[in-house]
Amino acid sequence: MRRGFIFLLTAILAMLVFAIPVSADETCKAEEYLETYFNITIPEEYTLETANEVLTSLGAEPIEGEEFSEEAVVKAGLKLAGLDELAQTYINEEAPEKAAEVLKEYDITCAEEFAPYVACAQDLGLLEGDDITDFLYHCVELGGKGRHYIGRVSDSEILSKVNSDLNSFSIFSEEELNDLGTSIVLDGAATGYNLKYSGYDAHFLDKYTLKYGHSDIRHAVQLIGLLRSEKMDAYIQIEPKVSVYEYMMDWGDPGDPTPTYEVREVDENRYLCYAVEYDLEIEFDTTEEKEAFHGIIERYAKKYDDRVDEDGNITKKLLAESWWQPLYSSYTPMENEEFGELTENVIYDADGNYSIHSFTLPEDAEKIAEETGKIAPDLKVGTATIYVNPAFMRYIKNEDHQ
């Protein structure tokens, strides 16, 4: 059987009471994910040699001894997932038969040394699939090296999770990057930047992913609900960011600072606004759904002149706080030729934990590098081509307000 879990054939129909849901292969795309993020080729057949090559690439301990066994892969996988101590409780001195009882319940036979690991993996639902690659992917994810997400669109509690996450964010900072970003804005190299923390990075598959930027909590919640109503499913991650841009006092009194909003004087009569916003990372199940997202936003979450009254109030049925120029982008080319190309300029701090991001037209990216070289020569500017929705491209090019 190609990459199959042989010892699970008798257990595959078992109903798990305390199971962690494990997505089907077509959803989690285990093989594609491991090959993309760990630069490995999944073997046609797992042997001692090929299994150890994969395990080593994933940062797991190789199988000891001279023989390959699927039980040994389970042990290595649970250690990779950070579950070694939990597995050992299945042979706790006060309950030494726990592992044996679980294996008996599911009619699984394995060597005694692997029994606590197989029993633990079974209880956690990690053996629901029939493929070693699926199992290893979920161990990688549990170990913090896979996707980071709060849920999927189809999850029953996804809307409350999105709302809870967004309400927990507040302004954060990194001194060196903030000083650099301030200089970049004040010297006119960019109109603003976003400060992000790497701990929230989604680590999604770019091919299926769009990044949707916004500031309003209700909008995010309603957007997830909209995707569900359109029969779409996707992984969802919320990446908070501090959006920084120059504030002009003729816009009016900025008001008192809050945990998520503040205007500071950074130079004589020069002010910067610091506002907590978010990137909604959406990894769709198919590229077709990713492409269809643009039409959904155009229909339900985009202001146009004929959708507002003379005072700017929305007259059409749109999502709360819909924007004139919504922003969503892809790191891979879109089939829709209306999407334009921008350069994302990224600068990390010395530890690689925080980064500032600014979008420019490709021909303007050099300004960011030049300013960084003058202010912080020890920091390097990384660039990436992103493909951005038409309305935001019109905004960047100052072509239209809608």
Side-chain angles (χ1 to χ4, degrees):
M1 176 179 291
R2 180 177 181 267
R3 303 195 305 274
F5 270 162
I6 298 173
F7 68 83
L8 292 176
L9 293 181
T10 57
I12 196 65
L13 298 179
M15 297 297 292
L16 300 181
V17 179
F18 300 106
I20 295 175
V22 177
S23 304
D25 181 58
E26 62 269 17
T27 298
C28 73
K29 300 177 177 66
E31 184 171 322
E32 184 175 358
Y33 194 93
L34 296 183
E35 290 181 340
T36 299
Y37 273 93
F38 294 90
N39 194 30
I40 57 178
T41 299
I42 300 300
E44 286 294 316
E45 180 180 359
Y46 279 96
T47 63
L48 181 63
E49 180 182 3
T50 59
N52 279 340
E53 288 177 355
V54 172
L55 290 170
T56 301
S57 296
L58 298 180
E61 297 178 4
I63 298 171
E64 297 180 354
E66 298 179 357
E67 294 186 4
F68 167 78
S69 71
E70 293 162 334
E71 297 98 323
V73 174
V74 173
K75 179 180 179 179
L78 261 65
K79 286 189 172 184
L80 175 66
L83 299 174
D84 188 20
E85 292 80 6
L86 176 62
Q88 291 299 316
T89 66
Y90 281 72
I91 51 173
N92 180 284
E93 291 83 353
E94 296 181 8
E97 300 301 318
K98 183 175 182 179
E101 290 169 356
V102 172
L103 298 181
K104 182 179 179 180
E105 179 183 356
Y106 293 100
D107 195 21
I108 296 174
T109 302
C110 72
E112 183 177 355
E113 66 174 299
F114 302 119
Y117 296 96
V118 175
C120 179
Q122 180 70 21
D123 268 352
L124 295 179
L126 295 174
L127 305 183
E128 283 185 327
D130 63 351
D131 191 284
I132 290 178
T133 305
D134 283 352
F135 167 76
L136 288 175
Y137 165 73
H138 290 293
C139 289
V140 165
E141 190 175 89
L142 285 171
K145 296 181 179 180
R147 291 181 179 89
H148 296 165
Y149 58 96
I150 61 172
R152 288 177 56 80
V153 170
S154 57
D155 292 349
S156 60
E157 297 181 352
I158 187 62
L159 298 184
S160 60
K161 287 181 179 179
V162 170
N163 187 71
S164 177
D165 263 35
L166 287 170
N167 273 301
S168 71
F169 300 142
S170 60
I171 293 175
F172 53 89
S173 64
E174 201 287 329
E175 184 176 1
E176 183 177 22
L177 290 181
N178 277 351
D179 290 345
L180 173 60
T182 297
S183 295
I184 287 174
V185 174
L186 295 184
D187 289 350
T191 57
Y193 65 91
N194 294 320
L195 177 68
K196 304 188 75 172
Y197 172 60
S198 62
Y200 292 102
D201 289 352
H203 300 303
F204 285 173
L205 288 172
D206 291 341
K207 177 180 177 182
Y208 306 95
T209 300
L210 284 173
K211 179 184 298 184
Y212 186 92
H214 210 279
S215 59
D216 188 80
I217 295 176
R218 290 179 304 155
H219 188 86
V221 172
Q222 292 184 17
L223 180 57
I224 302 301
L226 178 61
L227 292 178
R228 184 182 292 182
S229 74
E230 294 290 314
K231 313 304 180 188
M232 290 185 175
D233 207 354
Y235 289 101
I236 298 295
Q237 172 68 335
I238 304 287
E239 295 179 353
K241 60 185 180 182
V242 179
S243 178
V244 183
Y245 55 89
E246 186 161 14
Y247 189 92
M248 303 300 180
M249 280 301 170
D250 57 10
W251 294 348
D253 184 351
D256 295 330
T258 72
T260 58
Y261 174 86
E262 183 179 357
V263 173
R264 306 172 190 165
E265 186 173 15
V266 294
D267 200 3
E268 186 176 359
N269 296 323
R270 300 287 296 273
Y271 300 83
L272 291 184
C273 178
Y274 299 79
V276 175
E277 298 183 356
Y278 61 84
D279 283 329
L280 188 67
E281 295 277 358
I282 310 170
E283 183 187 316
F284 296 93
D285 288 347
T286 66
T287 55
E288 289 77 15
E289 290 184 344
K290 176 181 176 179
E291 291 286 342
F293 180 82
H294 173 61
I296 292 173
I297 297 302
E298 286 286 308
R299 188 177 305 118
Y300 298 113
K302 166 77 173 74
K303 283 184 178 181
Y304 281 105
D305 285 341
D306 61 357
R307 296 178 174 180
V308 299
D309 60 23
E310 59 184 13
D311 295 321
N313 300 311
I314 296 176
T315 58
K316 300 291 184 179
K317 293 178 172 60
L318 302 177
L319 298 188
E321 296 301 319
S322 292
W323 284 353
W324 292 99
Q325 299 102 0
L327 168 59
Y328 41 101
S329 61
S330 169
Y331 284 114
T332 59
M334 300 290 289
E335 292 180 8
N336 187 333
E337 295 181 354
E338 292 184 337
F339 275 65
E341 292 187 20
L342 292 180
T343 296
E344 180 182 26
N345 305 275
V346 184
I347 308 167
Y348 282 92
D349 70 347
D351 297 325
N353 293 322
Y354 291 89
S355 56
I356 57 176
H357 303 246
S358 62
F359 296 157
T360 63
L361 293 169
E363 58 268 26
D364 294 331
E366 187 60 32
K367 297 177 183 178
I368 304 292
E370 291 176 354
E371 190 67 22
T372 302
K374 290 188 298 183
I375 305 299
D378 55 321
L379 301 181
K380 303 299 181 185
V381 181
T383 60
T385 298
I386 57 173
Y387 302 85
V388 179
N389 60 297
F392 192 77
M393 284 299 300
R394 293 193 290 270
Y395 164 73
I396 286 289
K397 294 180 178 180
N398 199 28
E399 293 177 347
D400 201 336
H401 71 282
Q402 63 177 335

